[in-house]
Amino acid sequence: MGNSDLIDLTLQEHHRTKAAILVSDDGNEKRAVWLPLSQIEVADVAGTGGAKGLVLVTLPIWLATDKGLV
């Protein structure tokens, strides 16, 4: 997978397990989706003014599309 196959998204984290993370693009947990940690990279967003739970997720474009995040 080349770099052009990846996308970075700033998302709201709602829950995390050892295998997956529950995130949404609008902070609404009812519309949140699970992403497998084995297929993504997650980093806390620095400098968000104390906004709790914002994460930068790097994931394949196909997965972001499949989950309705793009």
Side-chain angles (χ1 to χ4, degrees), residues 8-65:
D8 292 327
L9 299 174
T10 300
L11 302 170
Q12 176 73 42
E13 177 181 344
H14 298 280
H15 188 69
R16 190 185 304 211
T17 67
K18 291 181 181 181
I21 185 170
L22 183 65
V23 295
S24 67
D25 59 358
D26 62 1
N28 185 341
E29 190 170 353
K30 291 183 180 183
R31 290 193 289 240
V33 295
W34 285 100
L35 298 175
L37 291 173
S38 63
Q39 296 185 25
I40 66 172
E41 291 183 15
V42 181
D44 291 331
V45 174
T48 56
K52 183 179 179 186
L54 286 181
V55 291
L56 179 65
V57 179
T58 303
L59 68 162
I61 293 173
W62 68 264
L63 181 57
T65 302

